[in-house]
Amino acid sequence: MRLMRVFAILLTATLLSGCGYNQIQQKDEAVSAAWSQVLNTYQRRADLIPNLVNTVRGYAAHEQQVLTQVTEARARVGEVNVNAEDPASLAQFQAAQGELSSALSRLMVVVENYPNLKADQSFLNLQTQLEGTENRITQERRRYIETVQDYNSYIRQFPVNLTAMLFGHKVKPNFSVENERAIQTAPTVDFGTAPAQPTPPPAQQPVPAG
């Protein structure tokens, strides 16, 4: 009987492995890890915003409207209790983060009008950190999208789809294509100096009559 139990366990393990059970677990863990990185980078941005707003207020206190927009957008992000397994919750999270990105873009437009602010060392440090964070957000979102696509494609394959169905593994929602396009076309959060204006061509000298 003991040998039969051992044989049954080995047979079950072999069948599960052959049907993709172990791979499903690995890919599911990869999705969870990628999602954690997405949340970490977004949280890093949220942590930087209060100091950014306070620094800008020190030089541009009368720009209260745009400062309030950034603060309120950050607060709305914090109110979203996102569940990445729920399409509606993920869409709400995307929308809130998109509003915050837009508010930050408007703030950076205001910053261009204050040369002293742009030369402030505290602002320069925040600028560097926020620029790096925005780049990380883009990278981690792309990594998450690719990881979810890999997972979803795998559990749709036969006979893996049968194993997935048996153990309750479903297709995961992903960041929408529309949202990705919006990010690509949104105003750039540029913390550098304003681009130089093109130099006009020299005026043509009149040709002497002759």
Side-chain angles (χ1 to χ4, degrees):
M1 292 296 294
R2 184 177 300 173
L3 289 175
M4 290 181 63
R5 290 194 188 98
V6 172
F7 177 76
I9 292 173
L10 292 175
L11 179 61
T12 301
T14 302
L15 291 174
L16 290 176
S17 177
C19 291
Y21 178 82
N22 291 339
Q23 288 82 353
I24 291 175
Q25 306 311 310
Q26 293 171 1
K27 292 179 184 295
D28 187 56
E29 287 297 324
V31 171
S32 297
W35 177 244
S36 294
Q37 287 299 107
V38 170
L39 291 180
N40 287 341
T41 52
Y42 274 127
Q43 185 59 50
R44 173 59 178 162
R45 180 172 71 172
D47 291 342
L48 291 170
I49 287 175
N51 287 338
L52 177 67
V53 169
N54 288 335
T55 301
V56 173
R57 183 178 285 118
Y59 289 87
H62 61 282
E63 301 284 359
Q64 192 58 44
Q65 181 177 2
V66 67
L67 292 171
T68 300
Q69 289 173 349
V70 173
T71 302
E72 291 178 348
R74 179 184 181 273
R76 284 191 291 271
V77 165
E79 293 170 356
V80 177
N81 187 16
V82 60
N83 175 11
E85 302 288 335
D86 178 11
S89 178
L90 184 59
Q92 183 184 12
F93 176 78
Q94 291 183 86
Q97 294 291 354
E99 289 178 7
L100 181 54
S101 295
S102 297
L104 282 172
S105 295
R106 292 191 292 272
L107 178 61
M108 291 308 106
V109 172
V110 168
V111 166
E112 290 297 327
N113 298 323
Y114 298 88
N116 290 338
L117 168 60
K118 293 169 62 178
D120 182 275
Q121 189 59 49
S122 296
F123 178 79
L124 291 175
N125 292 336
L126 288 168
Q127 148 190 335
T128 300
Q129 294 179 61
L130 198 51
E131 282 179 339
T133 302
E134 292 292 343
N135 291 334
R136 276 294 299 276
I137 287 173
T138 300
Q139 295 171 5
E140 296 301 341
R141 280 175 61 96
R142 184 179 299 114
R143 177 169 171 260
Y144 179 75
I145 290 169
E146 293 171 351
T147 306
V148 171
Q149 288 175 342
D150 179 63
Y151 171 88
N152 288 343
S153 297
Y154 186 73
I155 68 168
R156 288 192 181 108
Q157 299 174 15
F158 180 84
V160 178
N161 61 334
L162 301 179
T163 304
M165 186 183 304
L166 179 63
F167 289 93
H169 292 283
K170 300 178 181 180
V171 170
K172 297 180 183 293
N174 209 342
F175 288 117
S176 66
V177 175
E178 291 76 11
N179 184 259
E180 291 304 303
R181 289 173 179 168
I183 288 177
Q184 293 172 7
T185 58
T188 303
V189 181
D190 183 5
F191 302 95
T193 57
Q197 297 297 320
T199 304
Q204 294 183 352
Q205 297 297 325
V207 178

